[in-house]
Amino acid sequence: MKKFLNKAKESFKMDHSEFPSAQGNQQQKIIKQNDSPSHIQPPSPVDVLRYRYHHGTNLGSIFVLEQWLSPSMFVSGANGGSELDAVQASLRQAGLDGTRAKWEGHWANAVSDSDFDWLVNAAHCTSIRLPIGYFTLGPAFCGNTPFAGQPSEVYVNAWSAVKTLISRCRARGIGILLDLHALPGGANPEIHSGTSSGRTELWGNQANLDLAQRCLVFLAQEVRGGLDGVVGIQLCNEATTGAQGMYAWYDRVIGAIAQVDASIPLYISDAWDLSPALSYINGKNQVSNASNSNPIIVDTHKYYTFSDFDRAQSPQQIIGRIPNELNELNGKEGSVVDHGAATLIVGEYSTVLDGQTWSRVSASEKDGLVQQFGHAQSQRWQQKAGGSYFWTYKMDWMDGGEWGFADQTKKSNILPPQSLLLSADDVRSRGAAANGQRQQRRDAAVNNHINYWNKTSPGGNFEHWRFEAGWDVGFSDALAFFAMKVHGGLQGTGADRIGCLDVWVRKREAESGQGGQFVWEWEQGFRQGVGDLYAVVGV
């Protein structure tokens, strides 16, 4: 066995040397034809920001107002509960200068230094999903929209305010998911699309679709220009069910952004239908296009309070459904070689249940059931998703009850991943233990892999050295994510796991230069290496 492993290692070295040997067997020649030079480098702090598990919150009603969250921004005479209603009413009452000052104060004071202290040290928040509107980008993006004219002038400094917030978050080790929440015409008819028109006029309207694309390309240009605290750009929030032409528009926008920067993760709405969205990104997230096409991640939202089906159930029945959520991923994740990468986030969730649901239990049971509900969601999202963002953090009526990230965190109703709770000394000692066990773990993994295939397919042709090479990268990557903070690469508490694993595997597989029919062995080795690191460090 040792002789075989040494031969496999030598084959790997010869094939990847600067001057490959002209000698060797036919298998080595095939490898040379199929492989490319490896470009793998250690994970960077930006890699960890983008691909770790995102334990986060939304920061709603800051750049896209909703009256139920921020009634203080709505003066008397507002005709509805949307951003446009608020700004128009304020313009009538206070004029442009007064309105602009009020809005800029709202943006600037959204997250204080003490808020950041709490987010990092108590909530262990790693990421914020930040809803913005097309109007947030300023007057140049408001022509021929309801915000054209004087309303648009309120937003001349809005994008600068967003960039300041991104910078402040980055300094604390918190990433920002830029969520284009309010799109021209509205991706859905709700007030969080920016107006209270009640209409959905994005889909099927070429002018609105073109303007939305221009906004998103601008965001990509800004991220490429130095906003390294951005973990991704969300193309659309809560597209209406059955949105006409949505995937064709996604194709066009993704292609346009790839021309700017193909490394930025892009997030798409599933339009309340998760399985087709996952199939779509399987097709987009192929290893073959990883160098020139952005990683695509699905944003799905999980609420249990709005539908008649939910209202007809007891809290216990709803809690019982949670362990089976996100099963649409089954068969679509776990093998990038076979079907492309599939990663999702739960971009919005809460612990809110409808009054009809609560009427099915006694009032004395509510607090305990809310905690069970939050714990079930925390556990499931951490098992299956690349991240989760509670809705929401800030409102006039802090701490927000079951809608409040602050309230639910303080009550321990929602829980961060256990790795984020480790002390720096614990992270160091566990990392050292992992390094000490590395050789033993690798040998065991490689031997088990070889023995399995010797029994399953005796005499079969394999390239088991690829498994070992993949294992080494996987173990090293997982350790780099785990120890990034204690090594000074990022601020924050505890240690990180690779959360967006499928799209990370796609990235690393492409960078590895691996090719040919046995690339699956490299991927299996990579995933085994990641799993072995987590087994050693206990997360």
Side-chain angles (χ1 to χ4, degrees):
M1 184 65 66
K2 185 174 180 181
K3 184 177 180 181
F4 173 81
L5 289 173
N6 288 337
K7 184 177 180 181
K9 291 178 184 177
E10 187 59 28
S11 171
F12 176 77
K13 291 176 182 176
M14 289 175 65
D15 183 57
H16 288 75
S17 64
E18 186 175 357
F19 303 102
S21 171
Q23 307 299 317
N25 58 29
Q26 182 64 29
Q27 183 188 40
Q28 290 172 324
K29 291 180 182 178
I30 292 172
I31 293 170
K32 282 192 253 186
Q33 291 171 0
N34 291 330
D35 286 12
S36 303
S38 173
H39 299 290
I40 284 182
Q41 298 294 322
S44 69
V46 172
D47 287 331
V48 176
L49 273 173
R50 289 178 172 179
Y51 289 93
R52 65 185 173 181
Y53 183 84
H54 302 298
H55 176 64
T57 181
N58 285 270
L59 191 57
S61 201
I62 302 302
F63 293 96
V64 182
L65 291 173
E66 299 181 46
Q67 189 174 26
W68 71 284
L69 291 169
S70 306
S72 63
M73 294 297 290
F74 289 76
V75 298
S76 60
N79 294 323
S82 71
E83 175 86 23
L84 183 63
D85 296 313
V87 77
Q88 287 177 332
S90 182
L91 285 168
R92 288 192 296 267
Q93 184 180 99
L96 177 58
D97 291 344
T99 298
R100 184 185 293 158
K102 182 177 181 179
W103 259 242
E104 290 180 359
H106 183 66
W107 304 329
N109 298 320
V111 186
S112 67
D113 288 341
S114 61
D115 287 332
F116 275 120
D117 291 340
W118 181 83
L119 284 167
V120 172
N121 298 317
H124 307 285
C125 176
T126 67
S127 181
I128 289 173
R129 181 173 178 261
L130 184 65
I132 63 173
Y134 66 93
F135 41 83
T136 311
L137 307 183
F141 294 89
C142 293
N144 298 314
T145 76
F147 284 84
Q150 193 177 42
S152 72
E153 297 298 324
V154 174
Y155 303 94
V156 291
N157 298 315
W159 178 241
S160 293
V162 172
K163 292 195 290 184
T164 297
L165 181 59
I166 293 169
S167 177
R168 293 175 67 214
C169 286
R170 179 66 172 86
R172 298 294 193 113
I174 296 175
I176 289 282
L177 173 55
L178 282 174
D179 162 31
L180 191 57
H181 208 76
L183 289 90
N188 59 63
E190 307 301 328
I191 60 166
H192 52 67
S193 286
T195 77
S196 54
S197 72
R199 297 190 296 271
T200 303
E201 296 181 324
L202 172 67
W203 312 112
N205 183 309
Q206 196 59 51
N208 285 336
L209 291 168
D210 289 346
L211 176 55
Q213 178 174 324
R214 187 159 68 89
C215 292
L216 291 159
V217 169
F218 171 80
L219 293 177
Q221 292 167 339
E222 291 287 287
V223 172
R224 182 176 176 81
L227 296 178
D228 71 353
V230 172
V231 304
I233 299 171
Q234 183 162 341
L235 309 190
C236 171
N237 171 69
E238 290 188 353
T240 193
T241 303
Q244 175 189 350
M246 179 181 72
Y247 287 109
W249 181 71
Y250 285 164
D251 283 340
R252 291 195 298 275
V253 174
I254 290 166
I257 291 176
Q259 297 298 311
V260 176
D261 187 341
S263 73
I264 305 169
L266 302 180
Y267 291 70
I268 64 167
S269 167
D270 66 354
W272 306 103
D273 194 358
L274 181 54
S275 189
L278 291 171
S279 295
Y280 173 79
I281 67 167
N282 272 152
K284 303 298 282 189
N285 288 329
Q286 297 292 316
V287 175
S288 59
N289 65 8
S291 63
N292 57 17
S293 182
N294 303 71
I296 314 299
I297 296 169
V298 172
D299 169 45
T300 193
H301 295 175
K302 291 297 179 182
Y303 290 120
Y304 302 88
T305 187
F306 297 121
S307 72
D308 290 338
F309 177 74
D310 293 327
R311 295 186 186 111
Q313 291 195 318
S314 69
Q316 293 91 336
Q317 287 175 305
I318 291 173
I319 292 166
R321 288 160 48 191
I322 305 301
N324 293 315
E325 290 285 26
L326 308 184
N327 279 342
E328 294 91 339
L329 279 164
N330 297 344
K332 291 177 175 158
E333 65 170 349
S335 181
V336 177
V337 168
D338 289 333
H339 43 59
T343 298
L344 62 79
I345 61 160
V346 179
E348 294 182 19
Y349 73 104
S350 76
T351 53
V352 174
L353 296 174
D354 188 76
Q356 292 183 44
T357 293
W358 289 121
S359 71
R360 291 172 169 79
V361 297
S362 67
S364 63
E365 295 178 89
K366 181 175 180 179
D367 288 349
L369 288 167
V370 169
Q371 186 162 92
Q372 288 180 40
F373 185 36
H375 287 186
Q377 290 188 81
S378 296
Q379 181 179 11
R380 188 57 174 171
W381 309 156
Q382 290 166 29
Q383 286 174 342
K384 297 291 284 185
S388 56
Y389 296 85
F390 196 90
W391 185 273
T392 184
Y393 178 35
K394 283 301 186 81
M395 60 278 289
D396 287 358
W397 34 284
M398 293 291 288
D399 282 337
E402 284 97 58
W403 286 112
F405 181 68
D407 185 79
Q408 296 302 288
T409 298
K410 291 173 183 177
K411 291 176 178 175
S412 297
N413 289 347
I414 55 173
L415 302 172
Q418 286 297 305
S419 65
L420 294 177
L421 303 179
L422 298 176
S423 70
D425 286 344
D426 207 0
V427 174
R428 291 188 188 95
S429 65
R430 295 187 190 204
N435 276 321
Q437 295 184 40
R438 181 183 187 117
Q439 185 67 51
Q440 175 188 349
R441 289 277 181 167
R442 177 174 56 210
D443 290 349
V446 173
N447 287 335
N448 288 339
H449 177 78
I450 292 171
N451 290 336
Y452 174 83
W453 288 107
N454 283 345
K455 293 177 181 177
T456 301
S457 183
N461 184 32
F462 297 98
E463 295 172 1
H464 294 316
W465 65 267
R466 294 188 189 272
F467 179 91
E468 183 172 2
W471 189 98
D472 271 325
V473 178
F475 191 92
S476 295
D477 281 2
L479 182 57
F481 273 67
F482 182 79
M484 182 65 72
K485 291 170 184 170
V486 297
H487 290 160
L490 283 175
Q491 298 297 309
T493 61
D496 287 306
R497 289 172 54 101
I498 305 171
C500 302
L501 183 60
D502 251 34
V503 285
W504 179 252
V505 170
R506 170 189 182 249
K507 180 179 188 293
R508 299 306 255 176
E509 206 161 291
E511 292 170 346
S512 75
Q514 296 279 317
Q517 63 178 314
F518 295 104
V519 177
W520 61 268
E521 292 200 71
W522 189 94
E523 181 174 342
Q524 284 193 0
F526 183 97
R527 293 179 185 272
Q528 181 69 52
V530 171
D532 283 348
L533 183 281
Y534 293 147
V536 174
V537 300
V539 299

